[in-house]
Amino acid sequence: LRAPRVTLKDIARASGVDISTVSRSLSGSYGINKVTRDRIAAVAAQLNYHPSRVSRGNATERSFTIGLIVSDVRNPFFADLVRGAADAASAAGYEVILCNSDVDAAKKIRHVQSLLAKRVEGLLMNSVIGLDRTEQERLTVSGPPVVLLNRPPTHSNFSTVTANNEEGGYIAGKYLIARGHQDIEHITGARDRGNFRDRVRGFTRACAATEESRTPVILYGDDSFIGGYDLMRLILARHSEITAIFAANDAMAFGALRACEEAGLQVPRDMSILGFDNVDLCAVVRPPLTIIHQPKYEMGRAAVEMILRALEKKAPYVPEHRQFGVTLVERESCSFPNADSLARKRVHVDVASM
Amino acid sequence: LRAPRVTLKDIARASGVDISTVSRSLSGSYGINKVTRDRIAAVAAQLNYHPSRVSRGNATERSFTIGLIVSDVRNPFFADLVRGAADAASAAGYEVILCNSDVDAAKKIRHVQSLLAKRVEGLLMNSVIGLDRTEQERLTVSGPPVVLLNRPPTHSNFSTVTANNEEGGYIAGKYLIARGHQDIEHITGARDRGNFRDRVRGFTRACAATEESRTPVILYGDDSFIGGYDLMRLILARHSEITAIFAANDAMAFGALRACEEAGLQVPRDMSILGFDNVDLCAVVRPPLTIIHQPKYEMGRAAVEMILRALEKKAPYVPEHRQFGVTLVERESCSFPNADSLARKRVHVDVASM
DNA sequence: CTGAAAGCGCTAACAG
DNA sequence: CTGTTAGCGCTTTCAG
């Protein structure tokens, strides 16, 4: 906005060739005499020429940018994902436009429209919920490749990248059962969120596979620190025999941890807590949380790589579905149930104030 | 890439008016007959027209995007900042392109160039270190407004947004001294980082202002969890009279906390720890950390608002400097020094293995 | 290998 | 109010 921009025309004039020659030469599309190419390069450098990707984009229909909509970067889970996506993009000469939609459908719609208007070459978002039929239609028909993050591959027109949530739930259940826990509860978020549902399913399967075949208890609440906290307080007040908690995400696990602490219970001696996701915090908190880890960074990477790959082949876009394995990361928040703890808990429940 | 894009031309043809009329009508620049405007709108809607911001940008030299370079979004400090920036941008019809530079000068340079090529209308970055004279020149001469985050206002050609680090250090020192601590050490990061330097300065001033006028001890290390951890171990081994630690950022505070724990010291009973920044983690960790809070989100917001304001006025860009106040957030990691603890510490130091 | 010319999709100054 | 015309900066046939 300060000094006049130097354009192809300027450097064409300055080096006495046609503007198209300069264009070809600089973008190296095809054969240019070495001497004129050098001259052009020299002039360009000396004039401090920097091509406009927007003009180029206008002519070529390519923007070299990818749209990324998450609910909130401040959520460490998404921060990891975003970083993975940004790195993959960057490595391929792309950049990402980052949007935060919270859980606001209107915001999400606005962002999708802005991103399409900016002609992003791909779109990553963690769900397509909130977009009505028309808009989904528009996305699939005239839009760029779309990858849904952390959503089960139901929307057959979009690609998906997910963790194997079902297996995660299963591993969690198995692990706790193997340590001798017989009374485990699973605290989780909204019933209609696919990834939560899958974790529930896996957990249930694990419980069903055990000899005693007890029907697992699932408690639904808010998928946040406070949600985990509240649910844990509820549990402490009601089911004094519970010895282990499987939390559907880390935030809930932290909340549960806090509730136990406040009730005077020691984790893991008096209560085992198993988390899901594995944000950095898990290792800093006391006790370090044992969790089911999902590779967030890699998932972000994979998502943009899927887009990039789709862009390569000019063949009609065919949705792809990639699922990442999850792993158990054992730290210090789970142990074997013990009788003393049960007694202690009973006392506390009597005392506990809701 | 699938269906042919519908352009102004299409809707002009379909509604029997000139393309320029359509343009005006749709972008509402000025007077259009209501009936034709409605007809155009109808046709546009029916054809599912969506204007290309890149073509528009090519014609108008506006991109409605702002570049944002941080070292790593996964750092919760930056995540907050980014969110603030994104929100402010979004509210004004802009989006942000997010880049991560780590501490790699080459990466940063590449990102700056890409962003300029994409004609961002403003640039936020947390330092201009690594850019050589020429590039800084280019930025100020032909580039968009630049705001430096968390850097003291030295580079007179760029705007800055900072927290009042000096005051933060001062408050920290005062607070600890007021609680009766006489032997406080400040653990901090690289000596040449302006914000750290300011915190040191403030802390030193607070110490100087006290009656006993003891010369404050500053320990330099890596500004990370492990850095804080190592420094704390050093302190525990050397200065057994220390009763309080002022850490230059939260990560270091967490590290110090961990080191104390491992040495069998209880915080705050045996050691007070005061942090800086206030990431969410501070409230989750045990004990909850008392810290000097800087308004990260608001700083991000302010930075893009400065850019937006600069964009409004076509007057030559004059750098602006905005400083945010910091506040003490009292939680549970600081208390009064006590004699018993000192005795306990002495024992531990003898035992401590480095 | 290079120039001329047309085009990308949209805006903007200028007549009428 | 609307059409004509000329751009924006870069790419891309197509001749030569």
Side-chain angles (χ1 to χ4, degrees):
Chain A
L1 307 180
R2 206 73 144 297
R5 286 217 181 287
V6 21
T7 76
L8 277 192
K9 204 190 298 180
D10 298 321
I11 117 160
R13 192 184 317 113
S15 47
V17 290
D18 188 82
I19 175 175
S20 65
T21 306
V22 180
S23 172
R24 271 184 304 242
S25 173
L26 257 25
S27 52
S29 46
Y30 61 94
I32 297 279
N33 183 350
K34 175 150 179 27
V35 27
T36 58
R37 173 155 28 102
D38 286 350
R39 180 157 39 93
I40 289 175
V43 175
Q46 194 237 326
L47 254 47
N48 213 294
Y49 171 74
H50 291 277
S52 163
R53 272 214 175 282
V54 8
S55 290
R56 182 181 295 199
N58 188 48
T60 58
E61 281 281 280
R62 297 181 56 42
S63 64
F64 287 94
T65 108
I66 290 180
L68 189 41
I69 306 179
V70 298
S71 44
D72 191 351
V73 244
R74 285 174 300 190
N75 179 333
F77 178 85
F78 290 122
D80 256 29
L81 213 76
V82 167
R83 180 52 140 116
D87 281 357
S90 178
Y94 283 68
E95 270 94 36
V96 304
I97 295 185
L98 176 69
C99 299
N100 302 86
S101 64
D102 295 317
V103 277
D104 183 336
K107 263 191 206 172
K108 188 186 303 185
I109 293 176
R110 282 211 343 262
H111 284 138
V112 169
Q113 298 192 332
S114 298
L115 291 173
L116 291 182
K118 290 193 177 168
R119 300 296 187 248
V120 294
E121 299 190 43
L123 195 48
L124 261 62
M125 42 200 285
N126 59 323
S127 106
V128 78
I129 294 174
L131 306 195
D132 64 24
R133 260 259 136 282
T134 329
E135 291 162 305
Q136 297 197 199
E137 186 72 8
R138 184 184 161 210
L139 265 183
T140 64
V141 167
S142 66
V146 175
V147 178
L148 264 26
L149 295 166
N150 235 329
R151 293 296 148 185
T154 55
H155 304 87
S156 53
N157 272 316
F158 305 120
S159 294
T160 59
V161 169
T162 58
N164 194 337
N165 291 297
E166 208 275 350
E167 197 200 353
Y170 182 75
I171 294 176
K174 272 300 186 200
Y175 175 75
L176 259 12
I177 290 169
R179 309 217 114 195
H181 292 280
Q182 308 205 114
D183 294 283
I184 312 169
E185 294 208 352
H186 178 35
I187 58 179
T188 186
R191 210 179 286 264
D192 63 340
R193 290 261 298 272
N195 45 354
F196 287 148
R197 207 173 40 222
D198 289 348
R199 288 168 205 178
V200 169
R201 202 186 329 261
F203 175 70
T204 307
R205 183 160 62 83
C207 294
T210 193
E211 317 259 281
E212 296 80 20
S213 189
R214 22 184 87 262
T215 55
V217 181
I218 318 290
L219 252 43
Y220 295 90
D222 191 54
D223 56 324
S224 63
F225 181 90
I226 196 69
Y229 177 82
D230 288 345
L231 253 28
M232 189 73 229
R233 303 222 331 151
L234 219 78
I235 290 170
L236 288 178
R238 291 218 195 111
H239 307 279
S240 48
E241 344 70 66
I242 297 299
T243 58
I245 296 293
F246 167 39
N249 69 26
D250 288 338
M252 295 187 84
F254 296 139
L257 190 60
R258 172 65 56 90
C260 286
E261 242 174 40
E262 287 183 6
L265 298 185
Q266 232 179 275
V267 174
R269 192 194 57 190
D270 307 327
M271 180 70 74
S272 290
I273 296 184
L274 181 56
F276 207 113
D277 280 359
N278 192 19
V279 299
D280 288 348
L281 229 146
C282 292
V284 175
V285 104
R286 293 341 294 261
L289 226 56
T290 293
I291 43 79
I292 306 293
H293 166 84
Q294 50 179 326
K296 305 162 288 297
Y297 178 88
E298 289 76 10
M299 288 165 69
R301 265 204 102 83
V304 342
E305 279 163 1
M306 276 169 59
I307 287 177
L308 263 23
R309 222 174 306 126
L311 255 29
E312 303 267 292
K313 51 184 85 159
K314 54 270 318 257
Y317 172 54
V318 35
E320 199 180 335
H321 302 281
R322 173 119 186 244
Q323 189 173 61
F324 277 78
V326 299
T327 52
L328 177 78
V329 177
E330 217 165 348
R331 285 192 277 250
E332 301 167 26
S333 67
C334 295
S335 70
F336 301 89
N338 77 48
D340 291 357
S341 299
L342 280 178
R344 209 172 299 119
K345 248 175 288 181
R346 259 176 225 114
V347 173
H348 278 290
V349 170
D350 297 340
V351 170
S353 67
M354 294 295 296
Chain B
L1 306 181
R2 206 72 144 300
R5 287 217 180 287
V6 21
T7 77
L8 277 192
K9 203 190 298 182
D10 297 321
I11 116 158
R13 191 184 319 114
S15 49
V17 291
D18 188 83
I19 175 175
S20 66
T21 307
V22 180
S23 171
R24 272 184 306 242
S25 173
L26 256 24
S27 52
S29 47
Y30 59 94
I32 297 280
N33 183 353
K34 176 153 179 25
V35 28
T36 59
R37 174 157 26 105
D38 287 350
R39 180 158 39 92
I40 289 175
V43 174
Q46 194 237 326
L47 255 46
N48 213 293
Y49 171 73
H50 291 277
S52 162
R53 271 212 176 282
V54 7
S55 290
R56 182 182 295 201
N58 187 49
T60 59
E61 281 283 278
R62 295 178 63 40
S63 64
F64 287 95
T65 108
I66 290 179
L68 189 41
I69 306 180
V70 298
S71 44
D72 191 351
V73 244
R74 285 173 300 189
N75 179 332
F77 178 85
F78 289 121
D80 256 29
L81 213 77
V82 167
R83 179 55 139 114
D87 282 357
S90 178
Y94 283 69
E95 271 94 35
V96 304
I97 295 185
L98 176 68
C99 300
N100 302 87
S101 65
D102 296 316
V103 277
D104 183 335
K107 265 192 205 170
K108 189 186 302 185
I109 293 176
R110 282 212 342 263
H111 284 137
V112 169
Q113 298 192 331
S114 297
L115 292 173
L116 291 183
K118 290 194 177 168
R119 300 296 186 250
V120 294
E121 299 191 43
L123 195 47
L124 261 61
M125 42 200 283
N126 59 324
S127 104
V128 80
I129 294 175
L131 306 194
D132 64 23
R133 260 258 135 282
T134 329
E135 291 163 303
Q136 297 196 202
E137 186 72 7
R138 182 181 162 212
L139 265 183
T140 65
V141 166
S142 67
V146 175
V147 178
L148 265 25
L149 295 167
N150 234 328
R151 294 295 147 184
T154 55
H155 305 86
S156 53
N157 272 316
F158 305 119
S159 294
T160 59
V161 169
T162 57
N164 194 337
N165 291 297
E166 208 274 351
E167 198 199 354
Y170 182 76
I171 293 176
K174 273 298 187 201
Y175 175 74
L176 259 12
I177 289 167
R179 310 216 115 195
H181 293 281
Q182 309 205 112
D183 294 282
I184 312 170
E185 295 206 353
H186 177 36
I187 58 179
T188 186
R191 210 178 285 264
D192 63 340
R193 290 261 299 273
N195 45 354
F196 286 148
R197 207 173 41 222
D198 289 348
R199 288 169 205 177
V200 169
R201 203 186 328 262
F203 175 69
T204 307
R205 184 159 61 84
C207 293
T210 193
E211 316 258 282
E212 295 81 20
S213 191
R214 24 184 87 259
T215 54
V217 181
I218 317 289
L219 252 42
Y220 295 90
D222 191 54
D223 56 324
S224 62
F225 182 90
I226 196 68
Y229 178 82
D230 288 343
L231 254 26
M232 190 72 229
R233 304 226 325 157
L234 219 79
I235 290 170
L236 289 178
R238 291 219 194 108
H239 308 277
S240 49
E241 344 69 67
I242 298 297
T243 58
I245 296 293
F246 167 40
N249 69 24
D250 287 339
M252 296 187 84
F254 295 139
L257 190 60
R258 172 65 56 90
C260 286
E261 241 175 39
E262 288 184 4
L265 297 185
Q266 230 179 277
V267 174
R269 193 194 57 190
D270 307 327
M271 180 70 74
S272 290
I273 296 183
L274 181 57
F276 206 113
D277 279 358
N278 193 19
V279 298
D280 288 349
L281 229 146
C282 292
V284 174
V285 105
R286 288 347 290 262
L289 226 57
T290 293
I291 44 78
I292 306 293
H293 166 85
Q294 51 178 327
K296 304 162 289 297
Y297 178 89
E298 290 75 10
M299 288 165 69
R301 266 204 102 82
V304 342
E305 278 163 1
M306 276 170 58
I307 286 177
L308 263 23
R309 224 175 305 126
L311 256 28
E312 303 266 292
K313 52 183 85 160
K314 56 269 320 255
Y317 171 54
V318 35
E320 201 180 333
H321 302 281
R322 173 119 184 245
Q323 189 172 62
F324 278 77
V326 298
T327 51
L328 178 79
V329 177
E330 218 166 347
R331 286 193 276 249
E332 301 167 27
S333 66
C334 295
S335 73
F336 301 88
N338 77 47
D340 291 358
S341 299
L342 280 178
R344 209 172 298 121
K345 249 174 288 180
R346 259 176 226 114
V347 174
H348 280 289
V349 170
D350 297 339
V351 171
S353 67
M354 294 296 294

